[in-house]
Amino acid sequence: MRDRYNRREFLKQGTLATAATLISASVLDACAAQPLQLERRGAAKKVVIMGAGLAGMSAGYELMQAGHDVTILEARTRPGGRVFTIRDAFADGLIAEAGAGRIPMDHDQTLRYVKLFNLQLMPFYPSELPFVHYHDGRREEVQWKPFKEALNHYLGLNLGQSSANWFKIVGGNDLLPKAFAAKLSEKILYGSPVRKVEQDERTVRVTFTQAGAPQTISGDRLVCAIPYTTLRDVEISPPFSKGKQQMIRELHYDSASRVYFQTRKKYWLNKNLNGFAITDHPMEVWNPAHNQQGQRGLLGAYLRYEKSQAITAMRDGERLAWTLEYLEKVFPGLHEHAEGGVTKCWDEDEWARGAWAHANFFELLQITKPEGRVHFAGEHTSANASWMQGALESGNRVAKEINEAA
Ligand SMILES: Cc1cc2nc3c(=O)[nH]c(=O)nc-3n(C[C@H](O)[C@H](O)[C@H](O)COP(=O)(O)OP(=O)(O)OC[C@H]3O[C@@H](n4cnc5c(N)ncnc54)[C@H](O)[C@@H]3O)c2cc1C
């Protein structure tokens, strides 16, 4: 019988599930882009960068490599922005991603920096056991092909031919921004939200606060690598062009939220399921601990758009209760095995206020256009918006712009 607990089978699956298969160096070599290697022409520039997310830090790193003098102002007390690994909320060292989760193998810039910083990759999806497709109130056990077709149908996200083409960073995706931050070290000023930007023909002046006290810093160029949602609150003098002001005001950010439950054991393995699902809610269900050691498990709901807005409007306890009821239908047994949960709603994150922004071609022309000495980076300025790849590409683009500027 499928559903009957079979200890030998469970132990076998448990071993499969916790064996951390690593992606080989040759795969990484084949997929990673070549280094940027900017060559500085003329004198070093003093560059101020707003935001220590991947966009700001990759720009800072590349400019620093070319011998420019960079200072990064970051509102939070940590680097990485929307790459955020939840580390302390769970027992037994379990971790889960609140933001960026999976890396496709064609994201050559993300993989380039993974390689540069000697990080290791492991598969995002398990290669064993069926997925669940929960639709019209019914649970169906499916293999990769129907699973990814359902995902494509509900979310417009094409997962491609093989589950093996998706990776995550061993130890947590935040190791990537942390690696940048270690290289940039004292060049990053944390707890330093930018309040005002002023520029003239010769210089740009940035006012930020540290522990509430205003401070200013000047530079030859400024990289604005913060989301437009928070740029809306920064005073700009003289104002940017009309077109840019309109984009900053109106660019739409999608909503996304995650809800994770810690479970006493990876109970879905008893039913020969891998713990991943797609539902017609639509909601993805992730099992981030499939390649983490130990008996305990994690089951996570990934909500987007109006479903995410709906859960953001709830109080934390309600978010957990609502999600638990829903996940119980997808992987029955959560009620019995859940030990507690955590939520992350990006709309209410003070320094993100949304998940990501997909601009169209004409909007991108406006968004990426420098304004005097100010250059624009961030996932929202890229054709690969909503991915780490987009943030990194944009960081490389502004680094080149500034390196080449007179
Ligand atoms: C729920 C979710 C799921 C995702 N899934 C994936 C995925 O599976 N794979 C993938 O590759 N990508 C994914 N992404 C996208 C990826 O996380 C982002 O594209 C990328 O991290 C954005 O980097 P950034 O540098 O542009 O912005 P951010 O990471 O937001 O960095 C901007 C920084 O600016 C700071 N800041 C804001 N305002 C100010 C201010 N006034 N002064 C100073 N600092 C300020 C912020 O604190 C932040 O650190 C996901 C994102 C979310 C939210």
Side-chain angles (χ1 to χ4, degrees):
M1 253 172 58
R2 273 210 101 116
D3 279 0
R4 215 176 58 206
Y5 181 71
N6 174 331
R7 187 165 184 275
R8 211 171 49 191
E9 185 62 17
F10 176 74
L11 287 177
K12 191 180 93 195
Q13 299 299 355
T15 313
L16 285 174
T18 50
T21 325
L22 299 183
I23 305 298
S24 73
S26 58
V27 171
L28 191 53
D29 282 345
C31 299
Q34 292 303 309
L36 184 62
Q37 288 180 328
L38 289 179
E39 269 183 46
R40 179 159 58 82
R41 299 167 201 163
K45 297 187 180 81
K46 190 166 180 223
V47 184
V48 181
I49 300 174
M50 296 158 67
L54 288 182
M57 288 195 295
S58 56
Y61 175 79
E62 298 298 344
L63 287 164
M64 182 177 77
Q65 292 299 103
H68 298 286
D69 171 15
V70 304
T71 303
I72 305 186
L73 303 171
E74 168 55 50
R76 303 178 203 259
T77 49
R78 63 163 179 89
R82 283 168 276 173
V83 185
F84 177 41
T85 307
I86 305 171
R87 295 186 170 279
D88 300 328
F90 307 116
D92 302 343
L94 291 174
I95 58 170
E97 299 299 340
R102 55 195 154 195
I103 305 170
M105 73 187 298
D106 63 350
H107 277 192
D108 59 348
Q109 294 300 337
T110 308
L111 296 176
R112 162 157 87 88
Y113 288 108
V114 165
K115 183 177 158 187
L116 178 72
F117 297 132
N118 290 317
L119 301 172
Q120 287 191 303
L121 294 172
M122 65 209 291
F124 180 82
Y125 291 102
S127 53
E128 307 93 19
L129 302 178
F131 300 80
V132 168
H133 181 198
Y134 182 81
H135 60 109
D136 306 313
R138 287 185 298 117
R139 296 172 65 249
E140 204 183 334
E141 295 179 15
V142 295
Q143 298 303 318
W144 175 256
K145 195 162 175 283
F147 169 73
K148 60 112 179 173
E149 278 166 5
L151 196 56
N152 196 16
H153 173 71
Y154 292 128
L155 296 169
L157 183 65
N158 192 350
L159 286 190
Q161 292 311 312
S162 169
S163 67
N165 296 350
W166 293 85
F167 313 139
K168 61 182 180 179
I169 294 172
V170 176
N173 288 342
D174 69 352
L175 295 184
L176 180 58
K178 281 178 175 170
F180 273 113
K183 294 281 180 201
L184 290 155
S185 183
E186 77 287 349
K187 296 186 185 305
I188 306 178
L189 305 185
Y190 292 107
S192 305
V194 172
R195 308 295 186 190
K196 188 172 181 183
V197 170
E198 297 161 280
Q199 63 169 321
D200 56 33
E201 290 90 58
R202 287 184 300 112
T203 184
V204 58
R205 215 164 83 101
V206 180
T207 304
F208 60 101
T209 51
Q210 256 195 344
Q215 308 206 21
T216 57
I217 181 170
S218 298
D220 302 309
R221 298 271 159 181
L222 172 69
V223 176
C224 176
I226 67 175
Y228 273 10
T229 45
T230 67
L231 181 58
R232 283 167 200 160
D233 292 341
V234 177
E235 189 184 335
I236 310 290
S237 174
F240 292 147
S241 64
K242 285 267 182 317
K244 184 78 86 199
Q245 286 184 51
Q246 185 181 357
M247 282 316 313
I248 293 169
R249 224 174 25 243
E250 295 177 6
L251 185 64
H252 170 78
Y253 276 72
D254 288 329
S255 179
S257 301
R258 296 259 168 79
V259 181
Y260 285 107
F261 289 98
Q262 176 178 306
T263 59
R264 259 182 283 286
K265 59 185 181 187
K266 296 165 176 149
Y267 67 91
W268 46 89
L269 292 174
N270 298 355
K271 302 199 175 176
N272 288 321
L273 294 170
N274 66 22
F276 280 80
I278 175 67
T279 81
D280 58 1
H281 194 59
M283 172 204 291
E284 281 183 75
V285 183
W286 287 3
N287 159 20
H290 76 85
N291 34 20
Q292 295 180 48
Q293 297 291 334
Q295 287 294 312
R296 285 197 163 82
L298 295 175
L299 213 49
Y302 183 3
L303 298 111
R304 295 182 179 80
Y305 317 125
E306 66 275 13
K307 305 296 177 192
S308 167
Q309 286 169 336
I311 206 159
T312 306
M314 298 177 192
R315 283 199 298 269
D316 207 47
E318 289 173 313
R319 291 173 186 171
L320 291 174
W322 182 90
T323 313
L324 193 143
E325 285 312 316
Y326 196 83
L327 289 185
E328 176 69 31
K329 297 180 205 159
V330 185
F331 289 108
L334 185 58
H335 263 303
E336 188 192 334
H337 293 96
E339 293 183 311
V342 293
T343 68
K344 175 69 185 175
C345 298
W346 285 94
D347 287 358
E348 65 182 12
D349 182 298
E350 185 184 2
W351 301 112
R353 293 193 228 146
W356 51 71
H358 283 275
N360 65 36
F361 175 78
F362 296 104
E363 289 170 334
L364 274 182
L365 292 179
Q366 188 60 254
I367 288 171
T368 53
K369 192 167 61 89
E371 298 275 338
R373 301 189 159 266
V374 184
H375 301 253
F376 294 84
E379 59 82 26
H380 59 290
T381 70
S382 156
N384 274 311
S386 80
W387 294 100
M388 292 187 279
Q389 170 92 354
L392 294 166
E393 283 173 348
S394 74
N396 279 228
R397 176 181 48 74
V398 290
K400 269 193 247 167
E401 281 174 15
I402 290 174
N403 191 52
E404 285 163 17

